[in-house]
């Protein structure tokens, strides 16, 4: 059974898209590793990349070509200095070659050697082929698929990149299995996740790694809320979170970093209306950073990266102002297990399932995490996830201009608000009265994904992407 870790669901990376940026970046890196094994014999050859299906149709807006260049240059998306990406891309475009392992020169002119093909490969809508051709016409080739949330599959590999090498105590495919483990052990969902994770990590490392995820989320919100201007791309979308923050927290002299910012928010007076605005601001800020090629965490994807930080920030800022590390770890662990159930039973890929696979899943994850922190039983966490997804079923993916901006940025705010509402409804729900099990909703999401017209699956060939005139934007 596939093991999907907290750290597979939450990956630190670079915007704007997990499937169209992070996935191709990782695939290109993986191909380069293969070339490195050939040593100096690769010197003098050239590399070509073919992008298929959705990667071709919305690849330019999602920076797939730039991600491929960064991956072929072996930069790590988790640690690369995002402010230097533009300069590096410019250099590769001018020099028209790459240095594999920093020493073997291969020809690569992005203008000529990245091909956007409007056909689809059979296995998945996000297909890629990487070819290296040597001077004597020898060819090394790999086919990859970016299957959503930054996960990739290499054609011919028999095991997923996430198949655990070690046996772990609680193999989980469905929410029904998860609830059985919780019932037999008395564990919360986050406890079950912790036990599985401790197979591969010490308790200390587990906690530190989750806190690193949270601190990156918090930094994304902080950066987004303090950056004004226009987002990249032809839509000229004005950043909104910084002006929103100025209205909500006019005294910005009170803090100097993300940690003291959270404390200042906790001290600020709020009412129901303001809390709504805060949640939207948190969500929007992350997705503005994402749209500007900044550092965010897939949650479970980049396009939906704002929902989970916004809901956790809501809890820390307004529900339990004494909460800290323990609550943060429990929230993210519980949320990740819901994401993993959707990945195994349905999809996290908008190119396969539309926006229900991104915002819908992130909202379900956040709803479950929040319910656990509100004191809800595992059953109620699952009910919350079910409610949140039930009301995202059928949501299409139709980003205008192929950019992860409209409707994506605002949609994170809507997903976060729905998650909070779902958690509140689940807390008061009697589990025995529930008519729709989460596993049925997972199945329904997948059936809906299969029935959805392919034009609504991250192609920008329908919906808002065609009815809204870009010139009017
Ligand atoms: S519409 Fe939804 S699924 Fe599509 S790119 Fe935007 S956030 Fe992602």
């Amino acid at each position: 059974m596939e093991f999907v870790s907290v750290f597979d669901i939450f990956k630190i990376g670079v915007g704007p898209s997990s499937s169209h940026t992070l996935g191709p970046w990782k695939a290109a890196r993986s191909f380069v590793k293969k070339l490195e094994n050939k040593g100096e014999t690769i010197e003098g050859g050239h590399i070509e990349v073919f992008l298929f299906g959705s990667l071709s149709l919305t690849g330019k807006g999602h920076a797939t070509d730039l991600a491929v260049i960064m991956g072929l240059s072996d930069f790590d998306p988790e640690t690369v200095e995002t402010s230097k990406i533009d300069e590096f891309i410019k250099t590769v475009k001018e020099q028209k070659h790459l240095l594999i392992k920093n020493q073997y020169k291969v020809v690569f002119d992005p203008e000529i050697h990245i091909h956007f093909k409007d056909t689809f490969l059979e296995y998945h809508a996000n297909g890629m082929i990487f070819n290296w051709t040597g001077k004597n016409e020898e060819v090394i080739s790999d086919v990859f698929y970016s299957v959503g949330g930054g996960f990739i599959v290499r054609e011919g590999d028999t095991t997923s990149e996430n198949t655990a090498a070690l046996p772990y105590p609680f193999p989980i495919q469905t929410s029904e299995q998860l609830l059985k483990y919780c019932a037999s052990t008395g564990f919360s969902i986050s406890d079950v996740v912790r036990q599985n994770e401790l197979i591969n990590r010490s308790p200390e490392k587990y906690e530190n790694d989750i806190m690193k995820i949270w601190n990156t989320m918090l930094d994304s919100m902080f950066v987004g809320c303090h950056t004004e201007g226009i987002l990249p791309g032809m839509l000229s979308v004005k950043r909104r979170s910084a002006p929103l923050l100025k209205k909500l927290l006019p005294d910005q002299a009170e803090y100097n970093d993300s940690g003291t910012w959270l404390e200042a928010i906790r001290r600020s007076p709020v009412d129901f209306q303001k809390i709504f605005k805060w949640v939207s601001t948190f969500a929007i800020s992350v997705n503005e950073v994402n749209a500007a090629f900044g550092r965010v965490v897939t949650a479970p994807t980049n396009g939906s990266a704002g929902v989970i930080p916004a809901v956790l920030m809501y809890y820390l800022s307004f529900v339990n102002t004494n909460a800290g590390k323990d609550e943060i770890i429990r929230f993210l662990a519980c949320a990740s297990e819901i994401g993993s159930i959707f990945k195994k039973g349905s999809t996290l890929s908008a190119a396969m399932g539309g926006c229900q696979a991104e915002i819908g899943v992130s909202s379900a994850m956040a709803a479950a995490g929040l319910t656990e922190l509100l004191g809800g039983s595992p059953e109620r966490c699952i009910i919350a996830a079910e409610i949140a997804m039930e009301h995202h079923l059928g949501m299409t993916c139709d980003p205008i201009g192929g950019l992860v901006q409209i409707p994506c940025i605002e949609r994170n705010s809507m997903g976060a608000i729905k998650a909070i509402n779902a958690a509140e409804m689940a807390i008061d729900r009697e589990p025995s009265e529930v008519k729709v099990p989460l596993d049925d909703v997972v199945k329904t999401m997948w059936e809906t994904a299969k029935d959805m017209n392919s034009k609504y699956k991250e192609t920008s060939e329908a919906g808002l992407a065609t009815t809204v005139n870009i010139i009017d934007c």
Side-chain angles (χ1 to χ4, degrees):
M1 188 186 290
E2 186 183 21
F3 176 70
V4 180
S5 158
V6 178
F7 307 99
D8 297 319
I9 294 289
F10 297 123
K11 291 183 286 290
I12 298 170
V14 176
S17 168
S18 42
S19 56
H20 287 53
T21 314
L22 185 58
W25 187 319
K26 284 171 60 184
R29 271 192 103 196
S30 181
F31 181 65
V32 158
K33 294 276 174 253
K34 188 171 180 178
L35 292 186
E36 283 179 9
N37 294 336
K38 299 283 288 180
E40 60 185 320
T41 57
I42 60 164
E43 176 108 19
H46 74 274
I47 291 177
E48 281 186 289
V49 182
F50 299 84
L51 303 169
F52 293 89
S54 176
L55 288 183
S56 168
L57 292 167
T58 59
K60 288 209 169 115
H62 287 50
T64 307
D65 45 350
L66 310 188
V68 162
I69 297 170
M70 295 303 286
L72 290 175
S73 308
D74 202 21
F75 282 102
D76 184 341
E78 185 173 332
T79 53
V80 65
E81 266 187 69
T82 52
S83 59
K84 300 213 168 133
I85 292 178
D86 280 354
E87 194 187 316
F88 181 77
I89 298 282
K90 196 166 155 253
T91 307
V92 173
K93 285 183 175 174
E94 281 168 6
Q95 295 183 341
K96 304 182 196 319
H97 71 252
L98 298 166
L99 273 185
I100 306 294
K101 224 176 171 182
N102 270 330
Q103 50 186 325
Y104 309 127
K105 197 165 168 181
V106 294
V107 176
F108 179 69
D109 180 350
E111 296 296 329
I112 296 172
H113 294 130
I114 299 181
H115 306 274
F116 290 88
K117 313 290 285 181
D118 49 14
T119 49
F120 284 71
L121 298 185
E122 204 176 324
Y123 174 69
H124 192 280
N126 292 332
M128 292 159 271
I129 297 178
F130 292 83
N131 284 342
W132 167 86
T133 308
K135 283 188 278 190
N136 59 1
E137 298 305 311
E138 183 196 357
V139 175
I140 297 173
S141 187
D142 255 336
V143 181
F144 287 93
Y145 302 95
S146 179
V147 297
F151 292 88
I152 56 169
V153 173
R154 189 199 300 257
E155 194 163 86
D157 278 0
T158 49
T159 52
S160 148
E161 60 177 328
N162 306 302
T163 304
L166 297 163
Y168 47 102
F170 300 111
I172 297 159
Q173 191 78 17
T174 63
S175 65
E176 190 185 353
Q177 287 168 337
L178 172 59
L179 287 179
K180 274 189 190 152
Y181 293 135
C182 291
S184 63
T185 57
F187 285 167
S188 64
I189 293 177
S190 64
D191 290 334
V192 169
V193 172
R194 182 185 175 89
Q195 293 306 313
N196 277 344
E197 293 288 344
L198 293 187
I199 292 294
N200 291 318
R201 284 175 160 80
S202 68
E204 193 185 24
K205 179 156 174 53
Y206 171 66
E207 290 175 10
N208 289 345
D209 287 352
I210 296 205
M211 288 310 289
K212 192 170 160 200
I213 297 287
W214 167 245
N215 287 326
T216 306
M217 289 176 168
L218 182 59
D219 283 347
S220 303
M221 287 184 275
F222 185 74
V223 169
C225 279
H226 295 86
T227 309
E228 304 204 28
I230 306 290
L231 292 174
M234 73 291 219
L235 300 181
S236 300
V237 171
K238 195 172 168 218
R239 286 174 177 258
R240 289 149 71 185
S241 52
L244 282 168
L245 179 77
K246 277 187 187 154
K247 285 190 192 165
L248 289 164
L249 197 65
D251 187 1
Q252 301 195 352
E254 274 192 77
Y255 57 87
N256 49 27
D257 59 19
S258 56
T260 49
W261 180 54
L262 170 56
E263 293 308 323
I265 296 169
R266 283 172 159 172
R267 287 193 300 272
S268 69
V270 285
D271 54 23
F272 185 74
Q273 194 185 16
K274 271 198 176 158
I275 290 176
F276 254 86
K277 286 180 189 286
W278 268 116
V279 173
S280 290
T281 304
F282 296 145
I284 288 170
S285 65
V286 175
N287 288 82
E288 288 177 348
V289 171
N290 180 58
F293 309 104
R295 170 136 294 126
V296 296
V297 178
T298 62
T301 65
N302 277 33
S304 58
V307 174
I308 283 169
V311 174
L312 183 48
M313 191 69 167
Y314 153 80
Y315 178 83
L316 297 172
S317 301
F318 311 120
V319 181
N320 180 357
T321 53
N322 293 315
K325 185 174 166 183
D326 178 55
E327 288 82 1
I328 291 166
I329 291 169
R330 284 171 49 218
F331 179 99
L332 293 175
C334 176
S336 81
E337 193 55 52
I338 302 301
S340 149
I341 287 170
F342 275 102
K343 182 183 185 307
K344 291 168 188 169
S346 184
T347 180
L348 303 182
S349 167
M352 295 299 275
C355 200
Q356 57 176 354
E358 294 206 13
I359 299 291
V361 174
S362 64
S363 188
M365 293 166 65
L370 180 59
T371 304
E372 181 165 322
L373 294 193
L374 293 176
S377 63
E379 282 127 308
R380 289 197 167 91
C381 296
I382 295 298
I383 293 168
E386 183 282 311
I387 295 172
M389 174 50 89
E390 188 181 319
H391 302 290
H392 282 97
L393 285 173
M395 188 184 273
T396 59
C397 170
D398 52 357
I400 298 177
L403 295 164
V404 193
Q405 297 182 7
I406 308 173
C408 320
I409 295 173
E410 257 178 23
R411 201 165 270 183
N412 278 265
S413 155
M414 306 311 285
I417 296 289
K418 274 194 204 179
I420 294 169
N421 196 17
E424 291 297 341
M425 289 170 81
I427 282 289
D428 294 322
R429 195 85 170 97
E430 184 49 57
S432 62
E433 292 171 3
V434 168
K435 307 283 186 203
V436 185
L438 177 60
D439 292 331
D440 285 358
V441 167
V442 174
K443 206 188 295 171
T444 306
M445 187 196 136
W446 181 232
E447 293 303 323
T448 307
K450 287 191 285 183
D451 288 341
M452 194 181 279
N453 188 309
S454 60
K455 288 194 292 188
Y456 294 95
K457 297 178 185 175
E458 213 165 6
T459 60
S460 290
E461 289 183 328
L464 291 172
T466 52
T467 49
V468 176
N469 192 341
I470 292 183
I471 295 164
D472 296 334
C473 285

